[in-house]
Amino acid sequence: MEWVKIIHILCVMGWMTSIFAVPRALIYWRREFERLGEFGPLGDLTIRLYRFSSGLGVIALGTGLWMGWTLGWPAWFWLKLGLVVALTAHYVWTGKLVINARKGVFGKSDFYLRIFNEVSVLVIIAILWAVVVKPF
């Protein structure tokens, strides 16, 4: 089980990198697009980061479910899983923003993307609290 925990933590760290970086990268990508008038290297980097981290997210979810099963599905795990589902919805929404940006459509403001980015931080703090404190 220790190896599964290590793999889980590594994959979560990689997925979190994208969750934090992609919304911020969209801000800079839009600025680059406005300056160049075309798809530039920052857009390519953002797309690659999003795609790569999606696989890490799947592995993190799989190893997390496996650990939940081996622990007997404790109550705190269900709280964590619910928060992970919310974070996954955030990640999927980020993907829609990336797809639109690839088409040259940057429909959200810098302010929106900054707030959107901070929401994920709050959810991650709640996940960490559930895992460390195990409130029930």
Side-chain angles (χ1 to χ4, degrees), residues 81-126:
L81 185 59
L83 292 166
V84 168
V85 167
L87 200 58
T88 302
H90 180 278
Y91 186 75
V92 169
W93 183 254
T94 302
K96 291 182 181 202
L97 295 173
V98 169
I99 289 169
N100 288 338
R102 190 170 188 185
K103 297 173 187 173
V105 177
F106 297 89
K108 304 298 180 186
S109 68
D110 287 5
F111 181 75
Y112 173 90
L113 291 171
R114 289 175 198 275
I115 297 299
F116 182 73
N117 196 27
E118 298 308 320
V119 167
S120 63
V121 174
L122 296 175
V123 176
I124 291 164
I125 289 170

Side-chain angles (χ1 to χ4, degrees), residues 41-104:
L42 191 54
D44 185 53
L45 176 70
T46 304
I47 292 167
R48 288 173 188 261
L49 178 60
Y50 184 83
R51 282 185 183 164
F52 176 73
S53 67
S54 63
L56 296 175
V58 169
I59 294 169
L61 181 61
T63 55
L65 289 171
W66 188 86
M67 287 189 296
W69 175 72
T70 60
L71 293 171
W73 306 108
W76 64 266
F77 174 82
W78 292 105
L79 173 61
K80 176 188 175 184
L81 185 59
L83 292 166
V84 168
V85 167
L87 200 58
T88 302
H90 180 278
Y91 186 75
V92 169
W93 183 254
T94 302
K96 291 182 181 202
L97 295 173
V98 169
I99 289 169
N100 288 338
R102 190 170 188 185
K103 297 173 187 173

